[in-house]
Amino acid sequence: MLVSENRPEWCIADLAIMAAGATFRPYPIPLPTIAQRESGLHLALHKLQESLVAFPHLVKVVAEEEGNYVLFDAMAPLGKFIAEQLGIPAIASNSSFAFTPQVIRAFAPATMSDEEVIVQVAGPPNAVHLEQYEATATTLKAEYGLEAPAWLDTLSLTGELTLLYTSDAIQPAAYSIPGEALLVGPCFRRSPSLKTFPYELLHQAPLLYISLGTEFHNNSNSLWYSSCEPRKGTTESTW
């Protein structure tokens, strides 16, 4: 199993990989980086440029390993490209919702146009980024015979099998996901209750829940947390 990720807080994933008897390997070459993501299109462009740089190196590694399938992150076209090139199954791992036009539409008011829905979900597309995406897709096709997905599809790729760590109770329009999709539930076991944690506070109102994801505040933690402070409302809020 070949797995790589540049986020240091994901070291727990490395431990899980080793516990399963697999091995972690870093990418053999430096990959393109972006200082600040501007939109969904910008992210899709970055992932496609990443694929263009890494594909010729990693496809050889996977071929030598003679893998039975490629398990890839749903926003990593590189993994899907490698599977397609080698003729082995591609399994998408999606830790969020699977997004298809029907799913996106389910999240939006009926009065919104398709274009407005896309802007709402992925941000306003930039003409320069779109041109760069199309140029990168053309290069991938010319050099390796790979068909790049539409930029919006790059943000939620599917495979012959797509693993969704959620349930049909909260995944709208699951019927529209291409191929076979398995709603496998959460990817972590529920932790045992800690007797020292004041669970009774969770039943007091108002309650503010702050997600500790990294997508929007990884480079400015102090700014992000200070912006949360005024939202508490009163000093007696639970957060």
Side-chain angles (χ1 to χ4, degrees):
M1 179 185 292
L2 306 174
V3 180
S4 184
E5 177 54 56
N6 62 1
R7 292 183 180 177
E9 72 271 21
W10 281 18
C11 62
I12 188 173
D14 302 347
L15 298 177
I17 291 165
M18 290 185 286
T23 57
F24 173 86
R25 303 186 194 178
Y27 286 131
I29 54 170
L31 297 179
T33 60
I34 51 175
Q36 183 66 42
R37 189 195 75 182
E38 298 178 15
S39 65
L41 171 57
H42 195 196
L43 175 61
L45 169 62
H46 170 62
K47 303 308 291 186
L48 202 66
Q49 291 173 331
E50 182 180 272
S51 300
L52 180 60
V53 171
F55 178 82
H57 302 273
L58 292 185
V59 72
K60 294 177 182 178
V61 174
V62 179
E64 290 170 359
E65 293 287 340
E66 298 182 344
N68 299 107
Y69 58 86
V70 173
L71 176 65
F72 68 97
D73 184 85
M75 284 198 287
L78 173 61
K80 189 168 186 175
F81 288 151
I82 291 173
E84 290 175 353
Q85 185 79 358
L86 299 179
I88 56 179
I91 302 175
S93 174
N94 194 329
S95 59
S96 180
F97 293 111
F99 287 103
T100 65
Q102 293 90 335
V103 171
I104 294 174
R105 171 54 67 184
F107 281 116
T111 55
M112 292 181 68
S113 67
D114 291 345
E115 292 76 15
E116 290 172 329
V117 171
I118 291 174
V119 170
Q120 181 77 15
V121 172
N126 179 295
V128 174
H129 291 159
L130 182 58
E131 184 178 340
Q132 292 174 333
Y133 187 91
E134 293 173 347
T136 305
T138 298
T139 303
L140 279 166
K141 175 68 173 179
E143 294 188 6
Y144 306 112
L146 299 171
E147 293 285 352
W151 73 263
L152 191 60
D153 293 337
T154 303
L155 303 179
S156 185
L157 294 164
T158 59
E160 284 89 340
L161 178 65
T162 301
L163 303 178
L164 295 162
Y165 306 108
T166 183
S167 72
D168 54 6
I170 57 176
Q171 167 68 61
Y175 67 87
S176 66
I177 302 169
E180 185 177 357
L182 291 182
L183 297 153
V184 298
C187 53
F188 296 107
R189 298 188 193 95
R190 179 183 294 275
S191 61
S193 296
L194 300 175
K195 294 182 180 179
T196 56
F197 184 85
Y199 286 99
E200 64 277 4
L201 294 180
L202 298 180
H203 301 290
Q204 297 180 10
L207 176 67
L208 175 63
Y209 170 73
I210 300 178
S211 172
L212 297 180
T214 60
E215 188 68 23
F216 298 108
H217 65 274
N218 55 342
N219 293 322
S220 57
N221 283 334
S222 59
L223 267 172
W224 187 83
Y225 285 112
S226 63
S227 70
C228 291
E229 185 71 22
R231 297 178 183 273
K232 290 169 62 177
T234 69
T235 56
E236 297 181 0
S237 297
T238 302
W239 73 308

